[in-house]
């Protein structure tokens, strides 16, 4: 990792840095603590980190894909139980939303069925003051950060706004344009660093996003300015219909990190135990002044890209079946049950909560949203222009005349 003399002199100190310490010094300090070389710190482990196998059994630490500097402790029981609860809720939400699309209550829904472990871990690894920037497929992560389920899904009804205030829960707005949220994420991280705030930003994207120019710009900016950002790539094997093999020939997407001077790691994206362990450390390192990091999670989109997609045209049922056997929800259920952390009473409580959320969605999205034509003018500029005020007045006059005419017609018909 190389930082120019001019840039190094301008680097503010991180929370754990000594006065005058540069971003390069902070990385060197992190490497020293792990007792490994800079190369071993930057490059991901040779195998994706996995702690629980697809049958729900804990893997021996010698077979978890770790190597020196890439060992991870097991997350605590409370964190694992909270994650399982969010997994169950997330799966129920995905299934409920797919039904609501078929009923015409939602315009579109990009399901994350099969990817819920990534979504939940992304939300749970952050502190209250941290920010998360999701993709359009990350609704489960948005809800896990505390956003109301109906507000989360408002954007998928085709409404003009996101449905929630991003500053309230520190959750960026879900948007359809690919990868734009990564630039927003590094902007927030840069602002937080300039203010001296103890903020980490988690920026989510898919494997297809790594082929976009915004991906390069975001990672390069974050690395050059040594920002506390964790880039979390959910590699679900397809960019709509384009398989990963046609997108990149890199050893892994995590290997792309080293080209920007940041550390990369890869993890089984259907193993929430490993996800929590890896993301918890990444967030801790970023908060401690080690700069940005990239984590790649290997997962799979079990359902179509959206309800407008026919996934059978570009992938085989046998491939889907292989990934179905790696289901993150079933895996976690078996793991917790075998360890005596999950019993029938807890299962019933969690299932009831999931059904409550599903009922909220059915009720909330089944109601017609009130329409106020004046909203056309309220949010175009922070300060309304004379032209917009004139147009607003014209519309108000027209609506008033229509209302008066309707009232006269009703009176005449009586």
């Amino acid at each position: 990792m190389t930082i120019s003399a001019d840039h190094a002199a301008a680097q503010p100190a991180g929370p754990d840095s000594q006065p005058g310490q540069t971003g390069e010094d902070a990385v060197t300090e992190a490497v020293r603590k792990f007792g490994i070389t800079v190369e071993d710190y930057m490059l991901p482990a040779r195998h994706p980190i996995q702690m629980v196998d697809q049958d729900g059994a804990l893997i021996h630490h010698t077979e978890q894909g770790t190597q020196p500097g890439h060992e991870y402790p097991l997350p605590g029981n409370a964190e694992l139980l909270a994650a399982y609860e969010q997994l169950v809720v997330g799966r129920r939400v995905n299934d409920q939303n797919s039904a609501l699309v078929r009923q015409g209550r939602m315009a579109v829904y990009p399901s994350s069925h099969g990817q819920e472990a990534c979504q939940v871990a992304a939300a749970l690894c952050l502190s209250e003051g941290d920010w998360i920037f999701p993709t359009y497929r990350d609704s489960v992560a948005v809800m896990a950060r505390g956003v109301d389920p109906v507000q989360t899904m408002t954007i998928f009804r085709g409404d003009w706004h996101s449905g929630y205030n991003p500053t309230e829960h520190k959750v960026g707005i879900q948007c359809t344009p690919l990868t734009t949220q990564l630039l927003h994420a590094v902007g927030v991280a840069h602002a937080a660093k300039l203010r001296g705030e103890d903020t980490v930003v988690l920026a989510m994207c898919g494997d297809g996003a790594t082929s976009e120019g915004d991906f390069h710009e975001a990672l390069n900016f974050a690395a050059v300015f040594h920002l506390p950002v964790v880039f979390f790539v959910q590699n679900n094997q397809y960019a709509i219909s384009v398989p990963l093999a046609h997108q990149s020939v890199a050893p892994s997407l995590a290997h792309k990190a080293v080209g920007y001077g940041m550390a990369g790691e890869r993890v089984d994206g259907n193993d929430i135990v490993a996800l929590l362990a890896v993301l918890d450390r990444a967030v801790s390192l970023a908060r401690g002044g080690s700069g940005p990091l990239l984590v790649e999670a290997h997962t799979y989109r079990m359902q179509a890209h959206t309800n407008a997609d026919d996934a059978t045209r570009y992938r085989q049922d046998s491939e889907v079946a292989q990934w179905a056997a790696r289901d993150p929800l079933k895996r976690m259920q078996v793991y917790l049950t075998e360890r005596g952390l999950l019993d029938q009473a807890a299962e019933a409580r969690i299932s009831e909560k999931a059904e409550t959320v599903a009922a909220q969605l059915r009720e909330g999205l089944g109601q017609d949203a009130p329409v106020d034509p004046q909203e056309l003018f309220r949010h175009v500029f922070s300060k309304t222009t004379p032209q917009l005020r004139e147009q607003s007045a014209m519309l108000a006059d027209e609506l008033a005349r229509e209302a008066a005419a309707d009232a006269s017609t009703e009176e005449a018909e009586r």
Side-chain angles (χ1 to χ4, degrees):
M1 179 179 181
T2 303
I3 301 178
S4 68
D6 290 343
H7 176 63
Q11 285 290 309
D16 294 341
S17 305
Q18 297 299 318
Q21 186 181 37
T22 68
E24 187 173 17
D25 293 335
V27 171
T28 302
E29 178 64 16
V31 171
R32 186 190 65 79
K33 290 179 180 178
F34 285 123
I36 56 178
T37 66
V38 173
E39 290 76 12
D40 286 337
Y41 174 78
M42 292 289 184
L43 290 171
R46 285 183 286 274
H47 303 285
I49 306 300
Q50 185 186 60
M51 294 184 169
V52 176
D53 66 21
Q54 68 182 46
D55 297 320
L58 182 65
I59 301 171
H60 192 271
H61 69 88
T62 60
E63 299 177 357
Q64 292 179 0
T66 60
Q67 60 194 65
H70 296 263
E71 303 99 339
Y72 297 90
L74 281 172
N77 292 340
E79 187 177 16
L80 294 179
L81 283 169
Y84 177 71
E85 180 174 304
Q86 292 293 346
L87 272 178
V88 174
V89 172
R91 177 61 57 84
R92 185 67 184 91
V93 164
N94 274 321
D95 293 345
Q96 180 63 78
N97 285 344
S98 296
L100 290 172
V101 169
R102 292 192 296 271
Q103 296 166 11
R105 301 191 196 184
M106 294 174 67
V108 66
Y109 182 65
S111 175
S112 61
H113 187 116
Q115 295 182 221
E116 293 95 346
C118 293
Q119 311 267 298
V120 172
L124 295 187
C125 72
L126 300 173
S127 297
E128 185 177 351
D130 296 334
W131 273 83
I132 187 171
F133 281 82
T135 74
Y136 52 79
R137 198 178 302 282
D138 296 328
S139 299
V140 172
V142 173
M143 289 190 303
R145 281 289 282 175
V147 179
D148 177 82
V150 176
Q151 291 182 358
T152 301
M153 303 308 162
T154 293
I155 193 170
F156 300 111
R157 299 180 64 175
D159 210 319
W160 63 268
H161 60 81
S162 69
Y164 59 87
N165 181 351
T167 60
E168 182 179 352
H169 297 283
K170 293 182 168 44
V171 177
I173 295 172
Q174 292 181 268
C175 53
T176 301
L178 202 61
T179 327
T180 55
Q181 74 279 359
L182 299 189
L183 299 175
H184 304 157
V186 297
V188 167
H190 193 207
K193 183 172 182 177
L194 292 175
R195 294 177 182 140
E197 297 172 353
D198 181 27
T199 300
V200 172
V201 178
L202 190 139
M204 304 179 74
C205 68
D207 51 288
T210 65
S211 300
E212 294 285 328
D214 287 353
F215 178 83
H216 160 75
E217 293 170 5
L219 267 68
N220 195 57
F221 188 96
V224 169
F225 288 94
H226 202 67
L227 302 179
V229 184
V230 176
F231 295 96
F232 184 37
V233 181
Q234 296 176 78
N235 177 4
N236 65 12
Q237 315 304 315
Y238 286 92
I240 307 182
S241 60
V242 180
L244 181 64
H246 292 170
Q247 300 178 58
S248 174
V249 293
S252 76
L253 296 178
H255 278 81
K256 292 179 179 286
V258 69
Y260 298 96
M262 68 178 73
E265 189 65 287
R266 48 182 172 167
V267 59
D268 181 349
N270 285 16
D271 177 4
I272 197 166
V273 180
L275 280 164
L276 288 169
V278 170
L279 287 174
D280 281 348
R281 175 178 290 182
V283 169
S284 177
L285 286 170
R287 197 183 309 281
S290 294
L293 302 97
L294 186 151
V295 175
E296 175 193 4
H298 296 256
T299 185
Y300 196 76
R301 168 172 53 79
M302 294 300 299
Q303 297 179 348
H305 178 69
T306 68
N307 52 291
D309 174 42
D310 180 6
T312 63
R313 298 181 62 183
Y314 53 83
R315 65 186 191 185
Q316 302 297 316
D317 291 343
S318 58
E319 177 183 295
V320 178
Q322 289 178 354
W323 280 93
R326 307 174 191 176
D327 182 64
L329 179 57
K330 181 64 176 178
R331 185 187 303 196
M332 193 60 172
Q333 180 188 45
V334 173
Y335 175 73
L336 293 176
T337 302
E338 291 296 321
R339 296 192 67 190
L341 299 174
L342 186 67
D343 56 22
Q344 290 184 347
E347 281 274 31
R349 176 186 59 79
I350 292 171
S351 295
E352 183 179 358
K353 178 178 179 179
E355 289 303 324
T356 299
V357 174
Q360 283 181 271
L361 289 170
R362 290 194 300 271
E363 180 180 357
L365 296 176
Q367 299 176 2
D368 291 333
V371 177
D372 180 2
Q374 290 294 344
E375 286 183 338
L376 287 168
F377 311 103
R378 289 185 189 133
H379 308 290
V380 180
F381 298 103
S382 59
K383 184 177 181 181
T384 306
T385 65
Q387 292 87 348
L388 287 176
R389 285 196 295 270
E390 180 182 359
Q391 293 171 26
S392 175
M394 291 173 62
L395 176 60
D397 179 66
E398 183 177 345
L399 292 173
R401 285 187 282 107
E402 286 184 359
D406 290 343
S408 299
T409 301
E410 292 178 4
E411 182 67 26
E413 290 177 349
R414 291 178 189 162

